[in-house]
Amino acid sequence: MSDVTIMGLSLKNPVIVGSGLLTDQERNIRTLLAAGAGAVVTKTIHPNPPKDLDERILRLPVGMINSTTYSKRSVDHWLKVLRSLTEDQLPIIASLHADTPSELGDLAAQVQGTGCRALELGISCLNEESGLEDDNPDRVYAYTSETRARTSLPLSVKLAIGEGLEDRVRAAIAGGADAITVSDTISGAAVSPDTGGLELGGVFGYSGPGIKPLVLAAIWRLRKRGFVLPIMGVGGISSGRDVADYLHVGANVTQVYTALHTDMRATLQRIVTEAEQVIPRTAELPLEVAT
């Protein structure tokens, strides 16, 4: 399996660990990299994360629903962690969000000062108190352009599949994005057999194998319609075959997350090993791109 370049990072493989609870600690980040991850995306760093929310994970027969939002660790804590990881030349992508575009730009400038080499804008999380059912191109452009104005770091904008995806991608490009990450979680719900009400108390982010066909279709359509920027494909990856599938439809790299909630280190090692076995036998995969 060839090395891959994405957002200026040279990775040993196209299997990146996505942002989430598992990447909220420096110890876990280092463990995942030692287990073979091409790179790791931090839990989303936010200067004012929501407080007093009931944040939980609900495992389903296929995938999971989570009501989590952003890291509760302070920006100062994360700046120290990023400096430590950068000093060891580890391939880290810092996931960032803030309440306003201006605040996100300020945060990106602070993160650049740590030596971190790439950013992902986690602006499409639907688990905030107000929810995010109406993400739109103007909002995407505002957050992306303000961040680009404050940092020279390569950045990817993480977007959820769904209505208007192409317009939101165009807005990210116009705002200065170097790549996009597709997809963030999508709206999901489960009914409690005991109460008849919704588990976790509402509609939250669904991830796992159930969204893989939807994300594959979205990435395939983006490529068919002429979008050429690098894409990080996310959704339902639990095997090396899944990694290859994403590369076949036009993703440049992949992110794995939900599957790692079961036997994190062993599961990641298995996926990376399987990908190494499958990808050399596939043809014309986009394993290296310029940013």
Side-chain angles (χ1 to χ4, degrees):
M1 186 161 54
S2 303
D3 289 352
V4 55
T5 301
I6 189 82
M7 295 199 300
L9 298 175
S10 180
L11 313 182
K12 59 187 177 183
N13 64 62
V15 183
I16 296 171
V17 176
S19 176
L21 289 172
L22 298 178
T23 65
D24 197 30
Q25 298 182 48
E26 180 177 359
R27 179 179 62 183
N28 265 11
I29 291 171
R30 290 181 178 274
T31 295
L32 290 162
L33 289 167
V40 172
V41 186
T42 69
K43 178 74 170 157
T44 301
I45 305 164
H46 195 295
N48 301 294
K51 297 178 181 178
D52 302 322
L53 295 182
D54 183 15
E55 297 188 310
R56 290 180 290 155
I57 288 174
L58 175 68
R59 294 177 182 269
L60 301 174
V62 178
M64 72 182 188
I65 295 174
N66 80 87
S67 61
T68 64
T69 55
Y70 312 112
S71 176
K72 301 302 182 288
R73 302 176 192 277
S74 70
V75 170
D76 286 343
H77 168 87
W78 275 110
L79 295 178
K80 292 176 183 177
V81 169
L82 291 172
R83 288 191 189 98
S84 174
L85 296 170
T86 299
E87 287 172 359
D88 290 340
Q89 299 183 330
L90 297 175
I92 302 299
I93 300 170
S95 175
L96 310 179
H97 190 31
D99 292 333
T100 68
S102 177
E103 288 177 317
L104 183 56
D106 290 343
L107 179 58
Q110 289 180 279
V111 169
Q112 180 164 345
T114 69
C116 183
R117 294 182 290 154
L119 307 176
E120 180 176 88
L121 306 189
I123 64 174
S124 294
C125 175
L126 56 83
N127 288 350
E128 296 182 65
E129 220 165 0
S130 59
L132 185 63
E133 300 296 339
D134 59 349
D135 202 9
N136 60 71
D138 289 343
R139 180 180 178 279
V140 171
Y141 177 79
Y143 275 102
T144 308
S145 61
E146 186 69 27
T147 307
R148 172 50 66 222
R150 298 295 307 278
T151 180
S152 60
L153 291 178
L155 63 90
S156 180
V157 179
K158 190 172 186 179
L159 301 171
I161 57 171
E163 186 175 354
L165 176 61
E166 291 183 24
D167 289 338
R168 285 180 281 129
V169 172
R170 291 188 184 95
I173 295 170
D178 300 283
I180 57 168
T181 304
V182 182
S183 167
D184 209 325
T185 57
I186 65 174
S187 295
V191 176
S192 168
D194 297 323
T195 68
L198 294 186
E199 298 276 15
L200 305 182
V203 174
F204 293 103
Y206 171 67
S207 62
I211 76 169
K212 179 190 167 189
L214 308 179
V215 184
L216 289 176
I219 294 173
W220 182 85
R221 289 191 186 101
L222 288 172
R223 292 307 192 204
K224 290 290 284 186
R225 292 171 184 173
F227 291 89
V228 298
L229 81 168
I231 297 175
M232 293 195 274
V234 193
I237 291 175
S238 58
S239 70
R241 180 72 258 168
D242 293 329
V243 174
D245 288 348
Y246 270 95
L247 300 182
H248 272 303
V249 299
N252 301 94
V253 296
T254 63
Q255 290 186 15
V256 57
Y257 182 76
T258 300
L260 303 183
H261 273 265
T262 301
D263 299 327
M264 180 185 77
R265 184 185 181 103
T267 298
L268 176 62
Q269 289 175 325
R270 175 181 57 77
I271 292 171
V272 170
T273 298
E274 290 174 356
E276 289 172 345
Q277 295 169 349
V278 173
I279 290 174
R281 297 200 299 271
T282 60
E284 299 181 0
L285 297 180
L287 289 179
E288 188 165 349
V289 297
T291 58

